[in-house]
Amino acid sequence: MSTAQPKGGVGGAQQRADVERDERERLQIQRMERALVRAWLQAPTTVDRADYECLRYALGLARLHVFRPATGHDDVTVDAAQIAPLRAWLLEHLYDRLRGSATAEEKLVYCHQAVPELRARAIELRRALIASHSNDFDSAALDREAGRRALVVVAGGGGGAGYVYAGAFARLMEDNLIPDYIVGNSIGAILGLFRAQRRHGDVNEYLDFARPLKNGDIFSAARRRHEFCLPGLLHLHLRALHERMSTGDLRRPLRLDEMEIPLDLVVAGIRRRPYERLSGDLRKPERGADRWLPMWVRVAGRFARILQFFSADVVEPIILGRDSDTRLVHAVDAAGFSAAVPTILQYEPGPRAGVTREIFAELMATRELAAIVDGGVADNVPARAAWQGVAAGRAAAATRNAYYLAFDCFFPRLDAKNMWLWPITQTVQMQMRINRVYADTMVRFDKTLSPLNIVPGGDALDMAVGWGYQQMDSQIDEVHEMLRPVALMAADSAAIAS
């Protein structure tokens, strides 16, 4: 259930201010827990485990606002006035200590001194919440929400560099760490689509599908006609993926709402009026003078020009899957639009995509859009979008207590072969100033294929998967600890875990 949007007027302004303050404080509490876990991993003998769990449970309790006690149950809104004293106490006494430059031992020693009062406050709040919501939830449901975090994976864009994500997913699956919600963009949308199709998938099955792919299975010559997307150098048809992502005797395309793991994909809508002010060779790139140059030269030149799209005045992010209407979009169509790099890759829905066409036509009309393209120009690693999706109840079981694991493969690199991408990667990193604070763990993949290597072949794909596996393995202890259930009282830990 989405939270209601504040109305206009003086009352609406105050309501918006209250919502913004609540979101800011919940994010601060989230960052405190991240700092606490990292300190614990560095110095686990400094604080007794029961005290450490009490600290984490109290941080989870202070983030409560809305949650769903059980499957099939309506969302319950917790009285903010009841939560406020504990939240304020934590922010006043522990925020600076945990977020400061002290050593891990110093942070934990200070937190240990705060445990007796914090435990008393948490016990009292827990008792009060159970009493005031006796018809809504029981103690077990409250303890689950406060003490157990869902795994949310955010998979960013980056073209062929993103194949490392398959290795990261493989490492998570090896330890039975199953995402409760995935938000993807561009190549992250395509890899996220594979992972979201089944909760208990097999990465080797995905790789067996991808290894023999040829350019013709993914691309074709540029199309003259464009309905929803900008014209590009190549038509991204994703024919092989369409064939795989279909069901039934008639091979009906799978929709976003049919993924076993909730999946949202990010696209960018180009606003009509700013679009009309762009230079003619960007709006009609097939007429440009570069059409006589070799393809690799044309692609490089287009990459340099698409910086004009990286502006909030020109594009807006659209989250497909966030609402009930866009969940009906065919999943491969959603991923195709998310990967349609402006003026380079053009994606258009196929002849069987009647529902997708209707939904996108309405989107473009109501939002006054000229085209829909790669989400990376609006939000390349959409951690904030994932955070907002969890707040809206998109994670499995509609929990609002989540751990955000973000994948980034497209950032500035000081090496000769990637130097030509420096202006774009620098621009994308400006988005990260916002998104970085929403991610608990940001995995930046140092070794990747080239972003231009969209169809890498078996050997290169296996190499990328190995790199992704190794990078994820270096972070796996933090992932496990962030996801480990905790309890206010040590005796309750096993119950929460179950």
Side-chain angles (χ1 to χ4, degrees):
M1 183 180 85
S2 300
T3 54
Q5 292 299 312
K7 298 179 180 179
V10 176
Q14 182 59 52
Q15 188 180 356
R16 282 193 298 273
D18 291 342
V19 169
E20 290 172 1
R21 184 179 65 253
D22 176 70
E23 291 183 353
R24 182 173 61 252
E25 290 176 351
R26 285 189 287 114
L27 186 58
Q28 288 175 314
I29 297 287
Q30 175 186 324
R31 295 166 75 183
M32 288 171 65
E33 184 170 5
R34 177 176 63 199
L36 175 63
V37 168
R38 288 177 176 173
W40 166 263
L41 287 171
Q42 292 179 45
T45 61
T46 307
V47 176
D48 180 76
R49 177 173 285 277
D51 290 344
Y52 162 73
E53 288 202 14
C54 170
L55 286 159
R56 287 194 60 188
Y57 180 96
L59 291 165
L61 200 61
R63 284 198 302 274
L64 277 178
H65 60 119
V66 177
F67 78 103
R68 190 169 300 168
T71 303
H73 197 291
D74 291 335
D75 282 348
V76 174
T77 300
V78 178
D79 184 2
Q82 288 183 290
I83 302 294
L86 176 63
R87 185 182 290 181
W89 191 93
L90 284 165
L91 291 172
E92 180 180 356
H93 291 87
L94 296 183
Y95 184 80
D96 288 339
R97 296 284 183 160
L98 283 170
R99 297 285 299 159
S101 58
T103 65
E105 290 84 357
E106 290 169 341
K107 292 178 180 180
L108 292 172
V109 167
Y110 185 84
C111 287
H112 177 69
Q113 295 170 354
V115 165
E117 182 172 354
L118 181 59
R119 180 178 280 119
R121 286 174 175 270
I123 289 173
E124 179 57 33
L125 175 57
R126 179 178 180 272
R127 183 183 297 118
L129 289 172
I130 292 169
S132 61
H133 291 278
S134 57
N135 295 325
D136 299 320
F137 54 78
D138 58 14
S139 60
L142 178 61
D143 290 342
R144 256 193 323 271
E145 183 67 15
R148 186 172 185 172
R149 298 181 76 171
L151 173 58
V152 175
V153 174
V154 182
Y163 285 112
V164 290
Y165 299 163
F169 280 126
R171 183 64 187 90
L172 293 172
M173 292 167 72
E174 187 175 279
D175 285 7
N176 200 34
L177 297 173
I178 300 171
D180 296 289
Y181 177 39
I182 297 173
V183 179
N185 169 60
S186 195
I187 187 66
I190 293 173
L191 272 292
L193 177 60
F194 273 107
R195 183 62 192 91
Q197 186 180 7
R198 291 196 299 272
R199 282 186 62 81
H200 300 281
D202 183 353
V203 169
N204 288 324
E205 182 183 336
Y206 309 150
L207 297 178
D208 289 343
F209 165 78
R211 286 189 187 98
L213 291 179
K214 306 297 182 186
N215 286 337
D217 299 314
I218 305 295
F219 307 113
S220 64
R223 296 178 63 173
R224 292 289 179 184
R225 184 182 63 84
H226 57 97
E227 186 176 2
F228 298 105
C229 195
L230 287 183
L233 293 174
L234 294 168
H235 175 218
L236 179 68
H237 56 67
L238 298 178
R239 189 171 298 121
L241 193 54
H242 276 287
E243 292 173 0
R244 177 183 173 80
M245 292 286 178
S246 56
T247 185
D249 294 337
L250 299 178
R251 309 309 296 162
R252 175 182 62 78
L254 286 169
R255 303 184 304 266
L256 283 176
D257 66 352
E258 294 178 298
M259 300 296 105
E260 292 187 4
I261 297 173
L263 174 69
D264 286 353
L265 302 181
V266 181
V267 298
I270 302 177
R271 295 188 173 97
R272 191 175 299 154
R273 290 183 181 179
Y275 168 77
E276 291 169 353
R277 293 194 295 267
L278 293 174
S279 60
D281 60 334
L282 285 175
R283 289 185 285 114
K284 302 286 186 180
E286 73 276 8
R287 299 178 185 173
D290 69 347
R291 64 187 184 276
W292 308 112
L293 298 174
M295 180 61 74
W296 70 270
V297 176
R298 298 171 71 188
V299 169
R302 296 286 176 88
F303 261 111
R305 298 295 307 281
I306 65 174
L307 286 174
Q308 295 181 55
F309 293 102
F310 285 84
S311 168
D313 294 330
V314 177
V315 297
E316 62 177 276
I318 300 171
I319 317 300
L320 302 179
R322 181 61 52 83
D323 59 86
S324 57
D325 287 339
T326 59
R327 263 170 241 155
L328 299 178
V329 168
H330 294 167
V332 177
D333 288 329
F337 278 114
S338 185
V341 181
T343 78
I344 297 174
L345 297 178
Q346 176 187 355
Y347 184 84
E348 299 290 349
R352 296 191 297 165
V355 173
T356 294
R357 274 197 161 82
E358 291 173 5
I359 292 171
F360 275 91
E362 184 175 352
L363 271 176
M364 292 181 69
T366 56
R367 298 188 182 221
E368 298 185 350
L369 302 176
I372 295 173
V373 297
D374 189 317
V377 298
D379 199 3
N380 197 55
V381 184
R384 185 183 186 184
W387 196 86
Q388 293 170 335
V390 169
R394 285 291 288 141
T399 180
R400 269 57 171 204
N401 190 10
Y403 162 64
Y404 300 86
L405 175 63
F407 297 160
D408 183 13
C409 67
F410 196 67
F411 51 88
R413 301 171 192 268
L414 296 174
D415 60 81
K417 70 176 183 178
N418 288 299
M419 192 60 69
W420 67 280
L421 287 169
W422 184 271
I424 300 175
T425 54
Q426 282 284 75
T427 302
V428 167
Q429 287 307 299
M430 292 176 67
Q431 301 172 351
M432 296 301 293
R433 295 175 184 175
I434 296 174
N435 281 307
R436 190 176 290 113
V437 299
Y438 290 87
D440 291 301
T441 303
M442 179 71 71
V443 184
R444 305 185 85 192
F445 294 86
D446 298 318
K447 293 182 178 180
T448 69
L449 301 179
S450 165
L452 299 183
N453 198 354
I454 305 296
V455 187
D459 292 343
L461 180 62
D462 290 341
M463 185 165 58
V465 170
W467 289 335
Y469 182 98
Q470 293 169 7
Q471 192 87 43
M472 189 70 256
D473 187 64
S474 69
Q475 303 276 357
I476 203 69
D477 289 344
E478 180 170 306
V479 178
H480 274 291
E481 187 57 34
M482 292 294 291
L483 294 173
R484 191 173 60 79
V486 297
L488 180 57
M489 309 302 290
D492 297 330
S493 292
I496 295 176
S498 64

